DNA sequence: GATGAATGAGCCTTCATTCAT
DNA sequence: GATGAATGAAGGCTCATTCAT
């Protein structure tokens, strides 16, 4: 119950969240965090043995908060589907409110300032453009219902991205195996309206 | 048309793709690439003025190849929707075949070996678990059709991730604004089967 | 006569002897000693104002014990020469029994783990090899009596080493001045047996 | 045959010998050596991957020179015993001429400025005093021939020291086992003169 | 065009020491 | 007397980049 010590820990975590969020992992130098906390570098290392450990502690703390929000939002719903949607929305909403947090969670492990991420966005935009282009035509032809193809293309790509990341780190079946399922999931989402729907 | 020079450039790009793919941007030190090419560090710098430039050149080259594949796959289809699906599948298939390429494109701008990305996977898994849990119940209750909720949850999260990244770098409306559209897109994808479908 | 305090002092000294003996001065960090004593760092500093002071206190305590042993051994002899020999033997025997003590006294002021001392051994071995080689031939030719040249060479080198160290720190005549004396001392030690001896 | 590079290496080695000799391993900071060479820190690390490696390279170079001198001195003698003596004398003479070299070879792996070594000298002096005291009496009583007991005591201690160091690092029989041999070697060195000698 | 020795700014980490409690 | 959180100076090492040859 070393409350004093815990408070310091919390202060460090708070400051680190800001600094990492602003500069990314690599560009955030340990002195920056010390300065932001007015705790000496040595003090930082007393609480966190490595910069990396501190960074991960920040992410865990952040994830805890978001998970909690997601769960509360889900609990407030009546149907399971509504709960699932609410959970997703809760996270997305939280991240939308705090840009810094979003960057920290999603891309600030990235380095090179943000130039890498910009390049990644650029590349994905090229893919998205192709998909969007075809979706636009599909809308025109009535093959799919009128949707915001901008968003739809991005959703498609995001799905792919996530599936691949998971495979990269968790292994398991090749993403290609999941393709039919993914395709059905995504295509059904844009299927033409049924009357009465 | 200094073909000789171009060949050297290509050799460098080839080796750099391997090295960056294996180690990530930060952990790939310039000497590594030199060693892999048997071109001296000075030689590298003759062709690419900065490490960053080389990295981006590698990504562009890679994107070019993927875009071409996506376009060819799309062109081989008859309907626009099939084209869109084919484009997505082409990219996903390519990346599935070459793990190194996938890592390079998707996560190797990350640093810290891969520990950051692992942490990101861990965090996202927590979110996915929540969503999957609710989707499972929705399936049980018949609220949605039987789907692989594992994949579905990941698709949802991927969609969210992509939308946020785009917003982070391109700005524009808050992701929250897109939420209704996203929600509809995703929910429609798991809506109960209609008879006759 | 703060007996309690003295007991603590003794506990610290005891633990410090172990830790310094195991790791050497530099590699023994103050926390190590604290941990070995279950006395906090602050407590250590209450009794010894500096790490160096503690280290020297350990050495003094050790020297006291050895000196006492040497003197007792000497006192138990009847002839002066036997006393001198007994004193030397007592120290050597004590150190032989406790490797850690020997290291503390003789080499643990050294740093770099023990790699420096290893290198020193290596270098001295090269010198010893040269001397031994010649002594072996001298034995063969009957110029000197049959002795363990391995030990003899080491004795010679040790003598040189000690004389130089003394000169380095106490100054005085150049070691070269002592050379004739040393030479005579050492050579007489290996002179051929006289009949009747 | 990268003569240019080798020359730099040599320059570094030269400067490092001076700096290590003056300050000891720990107190010689890498920048010191850089400054002394007017070679940048990076340059140093290009030639020697670690401070430790540089230090050992210095010691090896030094040992090479001394070994050569010892061997030449030995070769110039006619009898094997004279050769052995000459080898020892050559090393001792070399070290006597260059105090810095002597310190580097013998004690500069030590740290703590030189305070540790001073303490070591102090401790050994206490042992030496005991031995000398008894030897003095042995001289008075005619038990041994008149010798410089100051030097003799130091020779005895040096022998012990060397034998223990060797045992510490090379293992083998306990030094106690060698005691009879050592005792005989040393005592014979101070035995009373025979007539006609 | 290519080489590789040299540069040097920069950063993480260690650890003896202090001091409020 | 003791604790342990906090300090901060110091130093080893890395690595992108340059440039004389």
């Amino acid at each position: 119950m070393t409350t004093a010590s815990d408070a310091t820990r919390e202060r460090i975590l708070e400051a680190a969240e800001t600094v990492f969020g602003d500069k990314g992992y690599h560009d955030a130098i340990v002195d920056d965090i010390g300065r932001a906390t007015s705790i000496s570098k040595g003090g930082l290392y007393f609480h966190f043995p490595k910069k990396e450990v501190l960074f991960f502690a920040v992410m865990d703390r952040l994830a805890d908060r978001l998970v909690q929000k997601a769960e509360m939002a889900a609990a407030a719903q009546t149907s399971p589907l509504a709960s699932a949607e609410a959970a997703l929305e809760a996270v997305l909403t939280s991240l939308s409110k705090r840009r810094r947090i979003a960057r920290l969670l999603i891309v600030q492990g990235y380095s090179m300032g943000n130039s890498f991420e910009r390049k990644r966005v650029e590349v994905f935009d090229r893919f998205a453009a192709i998909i969007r282009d075809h979706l636009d035509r599909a809308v025109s032809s009535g093959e799919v219902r009128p949707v915001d193809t901008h968003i739809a293309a991005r959703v498609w790509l995001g799905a792919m991205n996530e599936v691949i990341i998971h495979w990269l780190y968790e292994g398991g079946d090749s993403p290609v195996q999941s393709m039919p399922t993914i395709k059905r999931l995504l295509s059904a989402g844009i299927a033409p309206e049924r009357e009465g729907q």
Side-chain angles (χ1 to χ4, degrees), chain A:
Chain A
M1 213 165 289
T2 29
T3 310
S5 179
D6 283 359
T8 305
R9 244 188 98 89
E10 192 56 27
R11 247 172 75 214
I12 294 174
L13 250 11
E14 189 66 37
E17 187 175 293
T18 306
V19 177
F20 281 133
D22 281 346
K23 309 205 172 184
Y25 179 77
H26 261 99
D27 290 344
I29 67 185
V30 176
D31 294 78
D32 283 343
I33 300 169
R35 222 166 289 132
T37 336
S38 67
I39 282 181
S40 69
K41 219 187 309 194
L44 251 42
Y45 275 87
F46 180 80
H47 291 281
F48 300 92
K50 275 171 158 297
K51 185 188 180 187
E52 205 180 294
V53 170
L54 173 55
F55 184 70
F56 288 159
V58 167
M59 290 206 63
D60 284 336
R61 179 167 166 273
L62 187 50
D64 287 345
R65 293 202 306 249
L66 288 176
V67 162
Q68 202 182 4
K69 280 191 184 168
E71 283 175 338
M72 286 176 64
Q77 302 301 315
T78 49
S79 91
L81 177 57
S83 290
E85 291 174 350
L88 181 69
E89 183 167 8
V91 174
L92 190 145
T93 303
S94 289
L95 297 182
S96 295
K97 279 195 205 127
R98 300 225 268 148
R99 203 180 193 102
R100 183 183 287 142
I101 302 284
R103 294 176 60 189
L104 180 52
L105 196 65
I106 295 188
V107 298
Q108 289 302 303
Y110 284 98
S111 15
M112 306 163 60
N114 288 89
S115 44
F116 170 79
E117 187 55 21
R118 287 203 176 287
K119 173 58 74 176
R120 191 262 193 207
V121 167
E122 182 192 318
V123 169
F124 270 56
D125 275 351
R126 295 177 66 186
F127 300 154
I130 296 174
I131 295 174
R132 188 169 60 252
D133 181 44
H134 292 291
L135 287 183
D136 279 338
R137 289 187 222 166
V139 168
S140 300
S141 74
E143 194 181 8
V144 309
R145 66 180 167 84
V147 291
D148 182 331
T149 57
H150 206 76
I151 293 179
R154 209 155 294 289
V155 164
W156 282 34
L157 232 33
M160 178 200 78
N161 182 62
E162 195 63 28
V163 168
I164 288 181
I165 285 185
H166 198 258
W167 163 70
L168 281 175
Y169 289 92
E170 306 287 277
D173 291 345
S174 162
V176 182
Q177 320 262 2
S178 316
M179 195 61 211
T181 306
I182 296 171
K183 204 187 289 185
R184 185 151 183 229
L185 241 27
L186 297 176
S187 299
I190 55 174
E193 309 272 0
R194 291 174 279 171
E195 333 62 76
Q197 195 178 39

